[in-house]
Amino acid sequence: MLMAGCSLSSSSSNNESTINSKSNSNNQSGGAFSYPMQGNAELSFMNEQLGSTPEAMPIDEEYEKRTGVKIKHLGGTPMTDQKFSLLLASGELPDIFLNTWLQYPGGPDRAVEQGYILKLNDLIDQYAPNLKKVLQENPDIDKMIKTDDGTYYAFPFIRSDAGRVYGGPIIRKDWLDELNLDIPETIEEWHTVLTAFKEKKKASSPVTFRSMFLGERTGGFAGAFGVMGNFYMNDGKVTYGYLEPQYKEYLRTMSQWYKEGLIDKDFASIDAATVDKKMSSGSSGATIGWQFYIEKYNAAAQETDPKANFVAVPYPAAAKGELPEFGQLDNAYAGTSSAAISATTANVEAAIRWLDYAYSAEGSMLNTYGLEGVTYKLENGKPVYTDLVVNNPNGLGSDQVMLQYSHGTNFPMIQQDNNLPAKYEQTTEALGIWEKTNHESHLLPPVTPTAEEADEMSSIMNDINALVKEAELKIILGNETADSYDKYVQQMKDLGIERALEIQQAAYERYLQR
């Protein structure tokens, strides 16, 4: 899907099949347009990461120089946070609004209808030739990023094929070797390994993870039971994993592990920094996390224990030798990091031009490899990373360096595989291990219920989401037995989950007709 018309060839940055490098053939008020844009436009920008105003990076300065548009970064707030609602109510909206607009109450159509963000169809025709070319040459992308009635509402972040998998189980391979244990492939083998970590390595938290990894962002350990949290597909039918009887059995197992001291006693409230500390200090020997966690865990742990060896291991399967049913796999377009334009924006053209630059070949090269002569140089037409990235003088990992000089991920663009060098071979090998699942067959595409359906969905799911989290924690922590989960399933039905499934199924069938 991503190869036609929008991929960046590693052998030639001027490949004619790539996106048009500069929009110098585009019309602007009847005349030619080229970057940088004239007029010293200044726009405000808000992302979806909760936190303070981010520090300006070299990539920000380069973007301003190349596009002619100055961006004032305002920090961020996720769609699901109360601060987002307060922001809308204030009327003081940023010009460019990066978020997951598929999660907007009532859906993206409702956000347009209520006058918060602009419908982009005509604006793309006028000012976004690079994105328009991508959509014309890639109907699968075009299908994903609009609503059922054809409304374009945001400039999308489209993941590369390799970028769709980025997380999974991580374990101390040196501990396995020391204890003469094989890499675990089933729940039973995981139980054996974690018990050994506790009893023989004296790990206070044999496996640690944040609650987000329980079984929703990834298949986690739930996938071994043939189930996963949230909505997914089973043979063309939308399924809600928390309703399935296998989910109760998964919770029963997790509750037993917690009782035996195998799961971090603090998992319900733990943050990422604490997980990092436990993994690198020897308090824990396993987790579920993202690819470059392997890089930082090895770097930190080997300072005091040179034998430390963190590696990726497969998602657990129902039986040894079987392919895991679930893992971690995003849709190429999951809705995240997509940039809408506020209806109050005074300089709409500048906002469109700034965003459209990312879909050009030149913008793609910058977002993927950073600055030529700084983070890479061209050798025989191929980008080769410099020592700033490969052997950073300040000891930074390559991913940390590139966060300053590029937009490798989570930015409105067509992501390209940057073949970022890792210090540890274990990091590079991770994706090939984690991608071996049946997860693709279960992916629900980015459907868009109608505004009325989305309102109804929000009303139903707000209560159900809270109920599910309550049930999970009570059972795993041992406050209730796994058999009590049946009453939660009935409560989900009483709250309207079957209606929510009807809405999702209808939206899925409409999506197929786009």
Side-chain angles (χ1 to χ4, degrees), residues 426-441:
Q426 301 94 307
T427 309
T428 305
E429 293 172 345
L431 301 186
I433 294 169
W434 291 332
E435 69 184 7
K436 294 176 181 177
T437 71
N438 284 324
H439 202 119
E440 183 82 53
S441 66

Side-chain angles (χ1 to χ4, degrees), residues 324-341:
E325 199 62 32
F326 292 93
Q328 178 273 315
L329 179 69
D330 280 5
N331 283 300
Y333 176 64
T336 58
S337 302
S338 295
I341 297 176

Side-chain angles (χ1 to χ4, degrees), residues 230-233 237-239 330-331 333-334 439-447 504-505 507-509 511:
N230 220 330
F231 294 100
Y232 55 84
M233 302 303 301
K237 182 180 178 182
V238 180
T239 302
D330 280 5
N331 283 300
Y333 176 64
H439 202 119
E440 183 82 53
S441 66
H442 296 292
L443 271 181
L444 177 67
V447 299
Q504 290 287 73
Q505 187 71 35
Y508 171 69
E509 291 172 5
Y511 179 88

Side-chain angles (χ1 to χ4, degrees), residues 47-288:
N47 63 32
E48 59 185 330
Q49 303 300 318
L50 192 61
S52 57
T53 304
E55 179 185 354
M57 295 292 180
I59 181 63
D60 301 313
E61 298 169 5
E62 187 67 18
Y63 241 76
E64 179 181 344
K65 183 174 74 173
R66 294 194 186 189
T67 64
V69 179
K70 183 178 179 62
I71 296 294
K72 181 181 180 181
H73 291 273
L74 302 177
T77 181
M79 186 77 66
T80 53
D81 194 277
Q82 185 181 14
K83 290 183 179 180
F84 184 87
S85 299
L86 295 174
L87 180 68
L88 295 183
S90 74
E92 297 178 1
L93 306 182
D95 296 307
I96 300 174
F97 217 164
L98 193 75
N99 223 296
T100 307
W101 290 96
L102 289 175
Q103 295 179 347
Y104 184 83
D109 279 326
R110 180 73 80 198
V112 172
E113 176 188 305
Q114 292 177 335
Y116 290 119
I117 63 175
L118 294 175
K119 182 175 180 178
L120 300 178
N121 297 52
D122 292 341
L123 296 170
I124 291 172
D125 287 341
Q126 285 181 277
Y127 305 126
N130 296 307
L131 177 60
K132 185 174 181 179
K133 187 171 188 287
V134 168
L135 301 183
Q136 290 173 336
E137 296 181 352
N138 297 273
D140 285 342
I141 294 179
D142 183 66
K143 181 177 181 178
M144 286 187 284
I145 70 164
K146 59 188 177 186
T147 63
D148 292 329
D149 70 359
T151 295
Y152 298 104
Y153 54 91
F155 281 72
F157 170 49
I158 305 293
R159 288 191 177 276
S160 67
D161 283 344
R164 295 173 63 198
V165 174
Y166 47 84
I170 300 168
I171 206 165
R172 284 282 300 254
K173 179 66 164 56
D174 56 308
W175 285 10
L176 294 178
D177 293 342
E178 179 186 336
L179 299 171
N180 294 314
L181 294 170
D182 294 329
I183 287 174
E185 297 178 8
T186 65
I187 286 294
E188 291 74 18
E189 291 178 352
W190 267 96
H191 183 267
T192 298
V193 163
L194 295 178
T195 301
F197 285 0
K198 178 190 175 188
E199 296 177 352
K200 298 179 180 180
K201 294 303 299 180
K202 307 303 179 185
S204 57
S205 305
V207 62
T208 184
F209 47 72
R210 287 176 286 159
S211 59
M212 64 184 282
F213 293 108
L214 266 180
E216 185 170 322
R217 288 293 303 276
T218 74
F221 294 111
F225 296 81
V227 70
M228 183 176 171
N230 220 330
F231 294 100
Y232 55 84
M233 302 303 301
N234 268 336
D235 299 322
K237 182 180 178 182
V238 180
T239 302
Y240 189 62
Y242 297 119
L243 284 180
E244 301 301 298
Q246 301 98 308
Y247 209 83
K248 179 172 75 171
E249 296 311 309
Y250 155 68
L251 290 177
R252 191 189 306 278
T253 298
M254 293 299 101
S255 179
Q256 184 61 34
W257 284 13
Y258 186 84
K259 183 178 180 181
E260 295 174 11
L262 304 183
I263 295 176
D264 190 337
K265 64 179 177 14
D266 300 320
F267 83 90
S269 58
I270 200 169
D271 60 16
T274 306
V275 171
D276 292 350
K277 184 177 180 179
K278 291 188 177 189
M279 288 297 289
S280 59
S281 67
S283 297
S284 299
T287 190
I288 300 171

Side-chain angles (χ1 to χ4, degrees), residues 388-438:
L388 179 69
V389 179
V390 180
N391 298 299
N392 186 265
N394 296 319
L396 297 177
S398 57
D399 60 317
Q400 294 173 297
V401 176
M402 293 305 289
L403 282 174
Q404 302 176 38
Y405 291 93
S406 69
H407 294 130
T409 187
N410 298 329
F411 188 78
M413 64 182 184
I414 307 291
Q415 185 183 46
Q416 309 296 340
D417 297 333
N418 59 12
N419 300 310
L420 193 61
K423 181 178 180 180
Y424 300 94
E425 185 178 355
Q426 301 94 307
T427 309
T428 305
E429 293 172 345
L431 301 186
I433 294 169
W434 291 332
E435 69 184 7
K436 294 176 181 177
T437 71
N438 284 324

